[in-house]
Amino acid sequence: MQVQEKFTAETFPASPEKVTLEGKNKFLGFWLFLGGETVLFASLFATFLALRNSNAGDPPTTEMFDVTLVFIATMLLLTSSLTSVYAMYHMKNFSFGKMQLWLGITILLGAGFLGLEIYEFKHYTHEFGFTITSSALGSAFYTLVGTHGAHVAFGLMWISTLMIRNAKRGLNLYTAPKFYVASLYWHFIDVVWVFIFTVVYLMGMVG
Amino acid sequence: MVDKKSRGHINSDLEFKKKKHAREMKYQVLSFGLMIGLTIVAFLTVATDGVGSWFTIPFIILLAAIQVIFQLYYFMHMNQKGHEAPALFLYSGVFVAFITVLAFVTIIWW
């Protein structure tokens, strides 16, 4: 099997992301990167946990956080994780069109999540005067949640660039690993969010 | 560089491949349902009055940990073969994460 070879559903390998050496290297390297990302977010989570009551005159998190908004954002991101699973399912079955469709839905859900986050930050800043410089809590909160939001924004750009760049190329052993690795990244963003909604928002509402 | 022998093998495997992918998908949809359920339980626990924070906080962290395991093993395919190195990388990261969080909530600034 060659990298640029044309495939059909019959001839496409079951795990196209790991057939070529380049694919294998991408896979391995990307998981190494995710290990590093875990450490990066751990340092931000640890800082937030240590400073979560140092609000220095800012309203406490129990007053600011809105459970409905966070719940909707969580559902959007969680569902986008499932839609990217669907995309990979169609990739493995060599259905390029359906894969593109589900990736498109993933992007829309992710964009919805990002929109809510921007609204939320704006709301805290204007209503409560809660900013990145107003307290240690503010610094820790905006750095942690903002770094996650930046990852979401990067993921949206990454997946949409992949979709556009490979629209005419279709699926082969060169493009399949690219889509696979991008979907891993998207799931990892959701993994981080699970801890953010638990540690930052839910624990912040408990007090 | 077309391997005729393996090509014929792949041809006859189309049905098998499709079934295998469909089965994986079924487990992924099931784990999605579970993840939604865990999320809702976590939100409800916090919204319910009269539950002490001594219970709520460890409980919702446990729910998050379970949910992340489903995300990693089903959505990110760590339950499949050939994920030994990814597991090593990820768990090394988790180990450092655990030490970092432990240090920050127990020693630093206290």
Side-chain angles (χ1 to χ4, degrees):
Chain A
M1 279 183 272
Q2 278 178 309
V3 173
Q4 305 282 5
E5 190 181 332
K6 296 271 184 253
F7 285 95
T8 63
E10 285 78 20
T11 58
F12 203 51
S15 295
E17 73 278 4
K18 276 179 284 187
V19 173
T20 61
L21 181 62
E22 191 187 340
K24 283 182 186 133
N25 287 343
K26 268 202 170 75
F27 173 80
L28 197 66
F30 197 77
W31 273 100
L32 184 59
F33 164 73
L34 289 184
E37 288 274 280
T38 309
V39 175
L40 163 73
F41 277 104
S43 68
L44 299 178
F45 272 110
T47 311
F48 179 84
L49 278 166
L51 299 171
R52 72 190 199 97
N53 293 318
S54 312
N55 56 334
D58 276 338
T61 50
T62 42
E63 273 177 36
M64 276 190 299
F65 291 163
D66 176 15
V67 67
T68 325
L69 186 89
V70 179
F71 185 73
I72 295 169
T74 303
M75 286 300 148
L76 282 178
L77 205 62
L78 202 58
T79 311
S80 81
S81 208
L82 180 75
T83 57
S84 79
V85 163
Y86 273 120
M88 288 308 105
Y89 168 74
H90 290 300
M91 183 197 83
K92 291 189 170 187
N93 283 339
F94 200 67
S95 317
F96 182 65
K98 285 180 183 164
M99 182 196 77
Q100 291 276 72
L101 174 71
W102 284 107
L103 285 179
I105 297 172
T106 306
I107 289 177
L108 287 181
L109 290 167
F113 171 87
L114 202 62
L116 279 182
E117 187 154 280
I118 292 167
Y119 164 78
E120 185 200 3
F121 282 9
K122 194 168 164 270
H123 179 71
Y124 293 157
T125 313
H126 289 269
E127 294 290 313
F128 299 103
F130 178 62
T131 68
I132 196 163
T133 55
S134 63
S135 64
L137 169 69
S139 307
F141 172 82
Y142 285 110
T143 310
L144 171 58
V145 183
T147 303
H148 176 267
H151 277 75
V152 174
F154 181 80
L156 291 177
M157 285 191 286
W158 183 1
I159 296 175
S160 45
T161 309
L162 274 184
M163 284 176 67
I164 295 163
R165 177 63 184 95
N166 297 307
K168 285 182 184 155
R169 283 173 164 173
L171 278 173
N172 56 38
L173 298 182
Y174 177 66
T175 55
K178 293 176 185 290
F179 287 111
Y180 184 85
V181 161
S183 91
L184 278 185
Y185 179 78
W186 195 255
H187 294 310
F188 186 77
I189 287 174
D190 199 39
V191 165
V192 175
W193 180 255
V194 169
F195 284 112
I196 291 186
F197 87 69
T198 304
V199 171
V200 177
Y201 292 100
L202 292 182
M203 276 169 64
M205 286 175 214
V206 171
Chain B
M1 211 191 86
V2 178
D3 187 342
K4 288 250 168 60
K5 210 173 166 190
S6 73
R7 177 57 46 79
H9 184 62
I10 289 168
N11 254 325
S12 60
D13 275 353
L14 179 63
E15 281 303 302
F16 174 76
K17 266 193 309 191
K18 287 214 154 161
K19 271 188 188 156
K20 181 170 167 270
H21 295 156
R23 195 170 56 233
E24 277 167 22
M25 195 65 236
K26 198 181 84 183
Y27 284 115
Q28 285 169 327
V29 171
L30 277 175
S31 67
F32 175 72
L34 230 126
M35 281 150 62
I36 293 279
L38 290 168
T39 304
I40 291 173
V41 170
F43 273 85
L44 284 179
T45 313
V46 172
T48 312
D49 292 328
V51 186
S53 63
W54 61 269
F55 172 77
T56 310
I57 289 176
F59 183 63
I60 59 176
I61 288 175
L62 178 71
L63 293 184
I66 297 171
Q67 185 174 160
V68 160
I69 288 168
F70 274 96
Q71 183 89 244
L72 288 171
Y73 279 84
Y74 288 91
F75 281 18
M76 295 170 80
H77 319 291
M78 273 177 69
N79 59 346
Q80 292 173 9
K81 267 185 277 178
H83 281 75
E84 295 77 14
L88 173 69
F89 297 154
L90 186 79
Y91 286 118
S92 307
V94 170
F95 175 68
V96 176
F98 177 74
I99 305 248
T100 310
V101 172
L102 188 71
F104 273 56
V105 297
T106 53
I107 305 168
I108 305 201
W109 294 313
W110 255 252

